[in-house]
């Protein structure tokens, strides 16, 4: 019998919904503290064995278009969105053809993975921290939403998250170049991942120079700064007050993945698992934690007193067959960690936690604007992690009042994202068009083909402008009973658009990009095609953008129950024993890749969950009341 | 307990039952295939054999084109002195494109619709990766001294090294005011 | 040459006819002076290296994507042999020695004679095959009865097993540590630590005293043969890792095409699940091939010579790493990966001799490292090829 059916009717201290990065960390900490934890995972757990990992590798090798979800097999019971799911519309615009139903002005291009390990199976593995100023953008810059907590509240949890994930980086440079505060003498567990040759060429050409931000009207100095990674590097013996750090290798194969060897495929899959994934943490879970896969939670069960009693879930056997049986399981505390969009979907389907009417709203991402070109000389692209450095100076400052800030990421993999290189380059040289019915071009063969490809591909560079998107209540996840998945659950219906604040940011970024290509002496090849699903025009200029895979903001935290879904502990205002963890709680995202902050938030929530559980377990103490008084015996909690 | 859905309905069931390995083509045929691939690809015999894919590609090519069209192509290429640019027949020209594409990417590309119709093959005219290893052995990565993404990893830190022929870069100095930190330099 | 394996009762290796290369062995005695101990440890370094080319040959002759389970099993063993080499170097440095690696005498010609053995077992460079696995089983054979040589002068009985050799080294270390309180006075900066050596099959650790010295010897002996009378290596105990089986038993699994089950012992043999092995999915090679047999100027000859030069570069990097420049070890890993690509290209090419090619024999990497290759590799290194650039960004 499937393990999902075996837990029917059982009772746990905590149920965690979702075995992705946040759920896995929550379960790890609570299990270590001795609580009985049940983790329900909608997808399969094929990848937590080495043969399962190799199967994913082969699936990746065989896939024609290598997108983030390429290695992970389809699952009709728990479908995942795919970045290929938005296609050009017949008369311009876009059409959504996959799991996510979309009706917004612009497409939401972000995917996620519903499988054990979650979207961290294909994350790029970058772990920059948010800036202190990112936590109060409404107050200071007049857009988006403020956090109910600040950088200092997260500081210890950032450090903890950097331990759990195993972060490689140069803390001193992060402090000096970006202004990030760290505890006195703090170093990351591992030395930084070396910056790529591409980065080093950029540093040679650009460090010390500056560009003009035409929208904000300011000069921005350029400086290439190494990015912290959740990826194994050289352990730093000074870490942890001289106790050092032992890199954690692959899940399922000993002595493997203890250091990044430069496979250059972090997204969609690290072949050696030098990149952190939650399966590594799961391998160290206490026996108090039970993972049950192929269990799709369909409803959060709320009791009469407003407290959550447990969840209803559907157990299935065969991911190719959308049939299931329905069960329930109970717990003192329920933690939803199923991804921002899935958390919202589940809450809406349960009619829970939504007295504020904010569930599903404020859907965000980091819209990514790409620009690309050819350097004069060879730069050795397609080597190393997807990105090892960025220009960090566009993330901060008063220009945020004028337009969305961005992190200017240097891409190491040529035009792979912008143009499908190197496959598209080969097809172009051979005169093979996208469609079999289009006319064929002339082909180049032999030594000339080899040399021309090498000459061009070896000079490819690309920039990723990852913009902050402000929380807007109109960008939201809703449900419509018309649209259901194989098991009969409502699919998420997305309404999505970019604000003018973001579009002004893209306008400024375009100009900055031109200036940088100019300073590099590079041949800019950026071209935005109306055939791209996300194509739009703004103030007479064409733009396209892509999803960053940073889905966020569907159950935002705040300081009051009327305007937000969770409190600063990611605890539902409406249900005192329901936690909603993950990027969905973020009221704003700044410009940092959100994974590290999400992990820090999850670890911070664990402290409060632990306190809540202790309260629930605490014995009542009846104290004698002096005779003669007119008070009644009172229950007192010590 | 089963879900009641027959396994034959499962896409996964198909994936789990690999085809029987086909018989190896005669060595002379492989030699000839590699020989005609040299002028197409610009890679020499040693490099082409070095991929380990010659047999597999020959099989895929013959399967896609049919024995007759493949022989015809061989003859046509020989007739123009192994210079593919001199091919005139649209079928031969498209075969030259496809075989080269296969070597460079491990992917058999769609033929032009007209050529596919003329060949009267049963199989659909769609692109496919002929084997997982074929992607790994694609020649395109060698053109710029790279390696396929996700395989043949060159080792920690190698991405910081100049590509062949490019200069080593001096560690760049920190901008004024910094405590001497170098981007990419170890702490 | 016919040898009977006392464990399997099988004879074989009849295809090896010519003379065998030999590795210099110390006299059959317990080392009694620090000088003698260093000599023993230098011999141990060469011994650990001896196994690497045959294992790499089996692994890299596998056809692309084939025999994944066997590939990972052999790979794990190779990594542990590299760990052993490095631990021996640490031990030798700890007692004030100077490891020698980049020397024509460090490597023997293949086929080589199995050192420290009574029988003339040929260790040849073979493609992935039953014969190759039987060779490996000879190398890693557990030795439960390790009679040590007597004290006071060479013992006429002679060496009988590698396990016996390491037990002898161990006794020598204990004896000498008792007599020389400053035995472990080598410079700490010459020790290789986990910063410079990764994916190591257990952690590399500095040797600074008797405890760490004995731990190093224990790792070396037990990762190969297993903890006394079990199939497991000591990694779970020494490094807090998950339990793994020792080399001999990993190779037995491939040979028998069956995994060990949870209750199996060295004497039960593997009774666990079947392990899919396809012997045909490997490129057959000539175990006695030399680069000279390939026509001068041919692509195969150029590649075979190139392989040997790059292998010589690897030896230089190890030599430098073990002699005060531990960072060099990081630069050695990319060289190993370059060797992998060069070797795989060779094995996938037909043998240049048409007669051999007709029999399905392929070209191969020959691991012939002489003074010529070492000199050429040193010149390349000094010119900054293959290491300088990487070191510049790593340091």
């Amino acid at each position: 019998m499937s393990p999902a059916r075996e837990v029917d009717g059982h009772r746990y201290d905590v149920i965690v919904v979702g075995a992705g990065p946040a759920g896995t960390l929550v379960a790890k900490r609570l299990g270590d503290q001795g609580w009985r934890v049940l983790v329900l995972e909608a997808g399969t757990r094929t990848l937590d064995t080495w043969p399962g990992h190799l199967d994913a590798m082969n699936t990746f090798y065989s896939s024609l278009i290598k997108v983030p979800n390429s290695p992970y097999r389809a699952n009709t019971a728990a479908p995942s969105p795919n970045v290929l799911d938005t296609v050009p519309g017949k008369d311009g615009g876009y059409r959504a053809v996959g799991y996510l139903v979309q009706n917004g002005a612009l497409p939401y291009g972000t995917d996620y993975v519903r499988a054990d390990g979650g979207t961290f199976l294909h994350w790029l593995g970058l772990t920059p921290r948010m800036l202190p100023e990112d936590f109060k953008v409404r107050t200071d810059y007049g857009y988006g939403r403020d956090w109910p907590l600040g950088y200092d509240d997260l500081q210890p949890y950032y450090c903890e998250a950097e331990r759990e994930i195993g972060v490689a980086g140069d803390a001193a440079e992060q402090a000096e170049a970006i202004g990030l505060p760290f505890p006195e003498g703090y170093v990351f567990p591992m030395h930084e991942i070396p910056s790529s040759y591409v980065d080093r060429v950029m540093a040679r050409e650009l460090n010390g120079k500056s560009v003009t931000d035409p929208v904000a009207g300011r000069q921005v100095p350029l400086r290439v700064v190494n990015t912290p990674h959740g990826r194994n590097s050289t352990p730093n013996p000074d870490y942890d007050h001289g106790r050092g750090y032992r890199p954690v290798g692959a899940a399922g194969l000993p002595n493997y993945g203890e250091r990044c060897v430069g496979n250059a495929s972090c997204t969609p899959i690290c072949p050696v698992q030098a990149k952190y994934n939650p399966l590594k943490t799961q391998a160290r879970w206490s026996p108090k934690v039970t993972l049950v896969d192929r269990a799709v939670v369909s409803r959060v069960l709320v009791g009469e007193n407003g407290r959550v009693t447990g969840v209803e879930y559907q157990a299935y056997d065969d991911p190719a067959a959308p049939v299931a049986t329905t069960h329930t399981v109970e717990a003192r505390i329920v933690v939803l960690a199923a991804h921002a969009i899935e958390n919202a979907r589940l809450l809406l389907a349960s009619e829970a936690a939504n007295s504020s009417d904010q569930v599903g709203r404020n859907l965000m991402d980091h819209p990514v604007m790409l620009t690309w070109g050819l350097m004069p000389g060879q730069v050795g692209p397609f080597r190393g992690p997807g990105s090892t450095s960025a220009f960090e100076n566009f993330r901060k400052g008063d220009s945020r009042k004028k337009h969305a800030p961005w992190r200017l990421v240097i891409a190491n993999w040529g035009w792979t994202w912008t143009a499908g290189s190197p496959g598209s380059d080969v097809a172009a040289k051979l005169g093979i068009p996208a469609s079999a019915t289009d006319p064929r071009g002339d082909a180049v063969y032999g030594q000339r083909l080899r040399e021309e490809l090498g000459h061009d591909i070896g000079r490819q560079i690309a920039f990723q402008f990852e913009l902050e998107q402000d929380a807007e209540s109109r960008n939201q996840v809703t449900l419509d009973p018309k649209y259901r998945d194989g098991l009969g659950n409502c699919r998420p219906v997305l309404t999505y658009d970019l604000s003018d604040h973001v579009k002004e940011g893209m306008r400024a970024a375009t100009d900055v990009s031109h200036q940088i290509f100019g300073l590099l002496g590079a041949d800019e090849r950026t071209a935005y095609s109306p055939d791209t699903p996300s194509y739009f025009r703004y103030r007479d200029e064409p733009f396209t953008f892509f999803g960053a895979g940073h889905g966020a903001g569907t159950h935002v935290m705040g300081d009051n129950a009327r305007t937000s879904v969770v409190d600063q502990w990611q605890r539902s205002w409406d249900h005192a024993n329901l936690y909603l963890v993950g990027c969905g709680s973020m009221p704003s995202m700044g410009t940092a890749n959100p994974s590290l902050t999400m992990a820090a938030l999850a670890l911070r929530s664990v402290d409060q969950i632990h306190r809540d559980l202790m309260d629930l377990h605490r014995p009542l103490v009846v104290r004698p009341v002096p005779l003669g008084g007119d008070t009644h015996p009172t229950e007192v909690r010590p | 307990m089963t879900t009641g859905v027959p396994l034959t309905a499962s896409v996964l069931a198909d994936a789990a039952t690999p085809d029987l390995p086909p018989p190896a083509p005669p060595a002379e045929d492989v030699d000839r295939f590699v020989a005609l691939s040299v002028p197409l690809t610009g890679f020499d015999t040693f490099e082409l054999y070095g991929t380990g894919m010659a047999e597999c590609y020959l099989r895929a090519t013959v399967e896609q084109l049919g024995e007759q069209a493949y022989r015809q192509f061989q003859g046509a290429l020989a007739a123009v002195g192994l210079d593919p640019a001199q091919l005139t027949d649209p079928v031969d020209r498209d075969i030259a494109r496809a075989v080269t594409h296969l070597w460079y990417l491990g992917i058999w590309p769609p033929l032009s619709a007209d050529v596919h119709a003329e060949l009267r093959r049963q199989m659909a005219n769609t692109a496919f990766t002929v084997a997982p290893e074929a992607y790994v052995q694609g020649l395109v990565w060698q053109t710029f001294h790279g390696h396929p993404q996700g395989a043949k990893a060159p080792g920690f830190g190698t991405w910081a090294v100049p590509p062949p022929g490019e200069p080593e870069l001096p560690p760049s100095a920190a901008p004024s005011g910094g405590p001497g930190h170098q981007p990419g330099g170890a702490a | 040459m016919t040898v009977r394996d006392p464990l399997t009762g099988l004879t074989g290796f009849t295809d090896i006819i010519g003379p065998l290369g030999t590795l210099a062995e110390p006299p059959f005695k317990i080392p009694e002076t620090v000088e003698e101990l260093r000599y023993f440890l230098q011999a141990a370094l060469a011994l650990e290296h001896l196994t690497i080319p045959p294992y790499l040959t089996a692994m890299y002759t596998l056809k692309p994507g084939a025999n994944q389970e066997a590939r990972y099993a052999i790979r794990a063993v190779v990594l542990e042999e590299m760990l052993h080499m490095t631990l021996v170097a640490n031990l030798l440095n700890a007692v004030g020695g100077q490891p020698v690696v980049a020397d024509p005498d460090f490597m023997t010609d293949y086929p080589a004679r199995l050192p420290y053995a009574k029988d003339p077992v040929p260790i040849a460079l073979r493609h992935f095959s039953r014969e190759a696995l039987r060779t490996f089983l000879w190398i890693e054979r557990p030795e439960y009865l390790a009679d040590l040589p007597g004290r006071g002068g060479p013992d006429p009985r002679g060496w009988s097993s590698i396990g016996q050799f390491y037990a002898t080294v161990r006794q020598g270390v204990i004896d000498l540590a008792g007599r020389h309180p400053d035995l472990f006075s080598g410079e700490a900066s010459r020790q290789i630590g986990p910063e410079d050596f990764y994916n190591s099959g257990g952690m590399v650790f500095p040797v600074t005293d008797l405890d760490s010295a004995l731990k190093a010897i224990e790792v070396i002996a037990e990762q190969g043969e297993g903890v006394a009378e079990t199939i497991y290596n000591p990694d779970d105990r020494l490094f807090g890792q998950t339990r793994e089986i020792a080399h001999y038993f990993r190779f037995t699994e491939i040979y028998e095409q069956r995994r060990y089950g949870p209750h199996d012992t060295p004497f039960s043999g593997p009774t666990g699940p079947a392990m899919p092995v396809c012997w045909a999915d490997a490129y057959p090679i000539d175990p006695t091939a030399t680069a000279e047999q390939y026509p001068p100027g041919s692509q195969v000859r150029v590649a075979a010579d190139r392989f040997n030069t790059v292998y010589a570069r690897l030896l230089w990097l190890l030599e430098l790493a073990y002699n005060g420049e531990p960072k060099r070890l990081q630069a050695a890993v990319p060289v190993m990966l370059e060797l992998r690509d060069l070797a795989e290209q060779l094995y996938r090419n037909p043998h240049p001799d048409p007669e051999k090619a007709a029999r399905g024999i392929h070209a191969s990497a020959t691991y012939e490292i002489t003074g010529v290759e070492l000199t050429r590799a040193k010149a390349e290194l000094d010119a900054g090829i293959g290491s300088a650039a990487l070191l510049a960004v790593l340091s």
Side-chain angles (χ1 to χ4, degrees), chain C residues 14-187:
Chain C
T14 49
D15 53 341
I16 307 294
I17 312 166
L20 299 179
T22 53
L23 211 56
E25 295 172 11
F28 186 56
K29 60 172 284 193
I30 294 171
E32 287 166 281
T33 67
V34 179
E35 261 319 302
E36 282 181 4
L37 176 63
R38 289 176 190 155
Y39 183 69
F40 271 64
L41 290 171
Q42 175 62 40
L45 195 63
L47 169 64
E48 291 303 329
H49 175 268
L50 175 82
T51 62
I52 291 174
Y55 294 165
L56 289 180
T57 303
M59 183 162 66
Y60 294 151
T61 48
L62 289 171
K63 291 190 173 173
N67 286 318
Q68 287 286 12
E69 283 193 68
R71 183 189 302 265
Y72 279 103
I74 301 172
R75 180 186 177 282
V77 172
V78 171
L79 285 174
E80 292 187 347
E81 298 299 348
M82 311 253 305
L83 171 70
H84 298 177
M85 261 189 91
T86 304
L87 286 174
V88 171
N90 276 355
L91 190 47
L92 182 47
N93 272 313
V95 299
Q98 296 188 333
V100 175
V101 180
D103 185 287
D105 289 337
F106 178 74
M107 276 183 79
T108 161
D109 291 339
Y110 294 93
R113 188 187 202 276
L114 177 66
Y116 309 98
K118 294 277 186 213
D119 299 298
V121 181
I123 308 297
L125 303 173
R126 294 177 184 276
H127 61 272
F128 179 77
S129 60
R130 285 194 175 87
E131 288 281 274
L133 267 297
R134 288 191 31 223
T135 308
F136 302 169
L137 290 172
W138 266 104
I139 296 172
E140 304 283 357
R141 199 156 54 97
E143 186 55 59
Y144 299 121
L145 299 169
D147 273 348
L148 296 194
R151 287 191 171 77
D155 182 328
R157 288 175 297 161
W159 297 105
S160 61
S161 78
I162 293 170
Q164 182 196 42
F165 169 68
Y166 275 114
T168 306
V169 171
R170 182 174 187 276
Q171 192 57 53
V173 168
I174 293 171
D175 292 354
L176 287 164
R179 290 208 304 278
H180 299 274
D182 58 347
L183 177 65
F184 299 101
S185 57
E187 269 178 59

Side-chain angles (χ1 to χ4, degrees), chain A residues 50 234 246 255-259, chain C residues 75 195 199 201-203 241:
Chain A
W50 196 250
T234 311
R246 166 116 198 234
N255 309 322
Y256 209 68
E258 289 170 9
R259 200 163 301 184
Chain C
R75 180 186 177 282
E195 311 83 66
N199 283 350
M203 285 268 268
Q241 299 183 160

Side-chain angles (χ1 to χ4, degrees), chain A residues 5 61-62 64 170 192 194-195 197 200 204 260-265 323 378 383 413 430 436 440-441 445-447 450 454, chain B residues 1 3 39-40 42-43 47 94 96-97 113 127 129 143 147 149-151 154-156 159-161 166-169 181 185:
Chain A
R5 274 172 276 162
Y61 289 154
S62 296
L64 283 177
D170 181 347
E192 80 276 24
S195 296
Y197 188 74
R200 299 168 69 217
R204 179 188 64 187
C260 173
V261 288
N263 266 292
S265 64
V323 286
Q378 298 282 306
R383 299 189 303 171
W413 297 343
L430 291 173
R440 317 245 118 179
Y445 291 107
Q447 197 61 29
R450 182 177 181 169
Chain B
M1 194 186 290
T3 55
L40 292 173
F43 283 78
E47 290 169 314
D94 222 35
R97 287 189 186 96
T129 308
T143 66
H147 65 90
Q149 291 184 278
F156 182 75
W159 51 90
V161 171
E166 293 296 319
E168 178 50 51
L169 298 176
H181 258 279

Side-chain angles (χ1 to χ4, degrees), chain B residues 97-117:
Chain B
R97 287 189 186 96
V99 172
T100 312
H101 193 274
L102 180 58
W103 277 107
Y104 267 75
L105 297 168
I107 294 170
W108 181 265
L111 298 167
S112 105
D114 294 344
V115 168
H116 185 255

Side-chain angles (χ1 to χ4, degrees), chain A residues 172 253 355 505:
Chain A
L253 190 69
S355 66

